[in-house]
Amino acid sequence: MTGRACGRGRGRRSFGAADARRRAWGHARCMSDRWDVRRAGPEGAAHRVMMIPGGMCSTEFYADVMAEPVLADVGLVAVTQPGMAGTEAPGDVSMEHYAELMARFAADTGCDVVVGHSLGANVALEMAAAGLFKGPLVLLSPTFSREDEASFLAVMDALGRVPVLGTVAWTGMLKVVPTAMKRELPKARAEVLAAAMRGNDPAACRRIVHAYYEYLGRHPSLVARLCEATVPAWVVRGDHDEIGLTDAERKGLEACPHVRMVTVPDAGHLLLVQQPARVADVIAEAVAAV
């Protein structure tokens, strides 16, 4: 899932900064043949932000944030993680490989800020922790330990280890979750977002979630991993987020000099859709930090 190469066969030449930005933007267009990509903002923007949706979600979940006026002068590139929302899954669905894929995409598109939501936030965290991305991060409702994650997901991982039962369970889950999720979304957007989730492949979801839990098993707490990455990071959570955060994790994050905690009022786990203006303000702050 590396995208289709652009401009092969042409001679090498040097590029100025503006030319490099145009080249990166054009390369992203070519990559969209294989990736689900959504763009907004001027091609020649001084800064560009890559936005990674959460598990089972597509770029549609960033549409409201991308339309906020505060980001009008910023180049915005939202990209669905391969394997999510009906896109083709890579052979290796480990979190480490997703971090490599997303870091490569960020480099190819000239992005100097990364935003991630939910599972996408954990991929962004791993990009920084592995030294694959050095710019500011905006982490929307990340999970810092297995205990913080929604209990139903652990059940689905356990069921997924039984081949036939796992496929049946995930098929049923993908019928239930989009409908249940609609209660947490603005009415005008609920059906469109639910439809984006219905396109997921049960077999891909089973593989991805299992690899995710293996990752959480390798890193019992991701707080230290984020702190040791020493990149500017905003950890953004709704005031009634369904994903947990222990007192010890909060204290650890607050002790990191380059991590800022942000609580968004009247929002849960889907804060990017519930309060897009507030999320956009945080992204603008991260862009200013570049």
Side-chain angles (χ1 to χ4, degrees):
M1 297 296 294
T2 56
R4 183 175 299 172
C6 302
R8 285 184 177 173
R10 297 176 182 174
R12 294 183 179 180
R13 63 187 181 93
S14 59
F15 291 83
D19 202 357
R21 285 194 294 270
R22 286 192 294 270
R23 181 181 57 163
W25 200 257
H27 183 60
R29 288 198 185 98
C30 292
M31 293 182 77
S32 66
D33 292 341
R34 302 264 309 267
W35 295 62
D36 171 31
V37 180
R38 178 187 297 260
R39 300 175 189 81
E43 290 190 13
H47 298 290
R48 192 162 294 141
V49 177
M50 183 175 78
M51 300 174 162
I52 310 174
M56 301 190 292
C57 298
S58 72
T59 61
E60 185 66 41
F61 281 76
Y62 277 109
D64 302 283
V65 173
M66 296 173 83
E68 288 295 326
V70 72
L71 298 176
D73 294 330
V74 181
L76 305 173
V77 188
V79 54
T80 301
Q81 297 180 78
M84 310 293 183
T87 58
E88 181 184 352
D92 181 355
V93 294
S94 68
M95 291 291 286
E96 290 84 356
H97 189 233
Y98 271 119
E100 292 176 4
L101 287 175
M102 295 296 104
R104 190 180 309 148
F105 190 94
D108 285 347
T109 52
C111 293
D112 44 19
V113 177
V114 170
V115 179
H117 171 241
S118 191
L119 182 66
N122 280 76
V123 169
L125 190 160
E126 181 58 26
M127 288 167 60
L132 302 173
F133 185 78
K134 302 293 186 180
L137 304 177
V138 177
L139 307 177
L140 306 174
S141 192
T143 296
F144 288 99
S145 65
R146 184 183 181 117
E147 291 71 24
D148 293 338
E149 191 51 87
S151 57
F152 84 89
L153 204 58
V155 173
M156 294 303 297
D157 178 47
L159 293 174
R161 298 175 191 178
V162 183
V164 177
L165 180 59
T167 300
V168 172
W170 271 108
T171 299
M173 180 61 68
L174 291 174
K175 293 179 180 178
V176 172
V177 169
T179 301
M181 183 190 69
K182 289 170 67 174
R183 296 193 295 267
E184 304 295 324
L185 298 171
K187 290 183 179 180
R189 296 280 288 139
E191 182 53 41
V192 172
L193 295 171
M197 294 191 73
R198 293 191 191 105
N200 279 279
D201 174 40
C205 289
R206 186 182 73 183
R207 291 174 56 219
I208 291 167
V209 167
H210 183 61
Y212 169 59
Y213 270 91
E214 288 183 329
Y215 172 77
L216 293 178
R218 290 192 292 275
H219 305 289
S221 175
L222 292 168
V223 171
R225 196 156 175 79
L226 175 60
C227 292
E228 291 167 4
T230 63
V231 301
W234 284 254
V235 176
V236 189
R237 293 165 46 84
D239 60 355
H240 54 273
D241 200 326
E242 298 88 336
I243 298 300
L245 184 70
T246 67
D247 290 340
E249 289 167 345
R250 182 177 292 277
K251 289 179 180 178
L253 292 168
E254 290 174 344
C256 295
H258 52 277
V259 173
R260 178 180 174 186
M261 301 290 291
V262 180
T263 300
V264 177
D266 300 319
H269 187 59
L270 294 169
L271 70 168
L272 74 171
V273 179
Q274 296 161 337
Q275 298 293 344
R278 183 66 186 98
V279 171
D281 285 342
V282 178
I283 296 171
E285 186 177 343
V287 171
V290 176

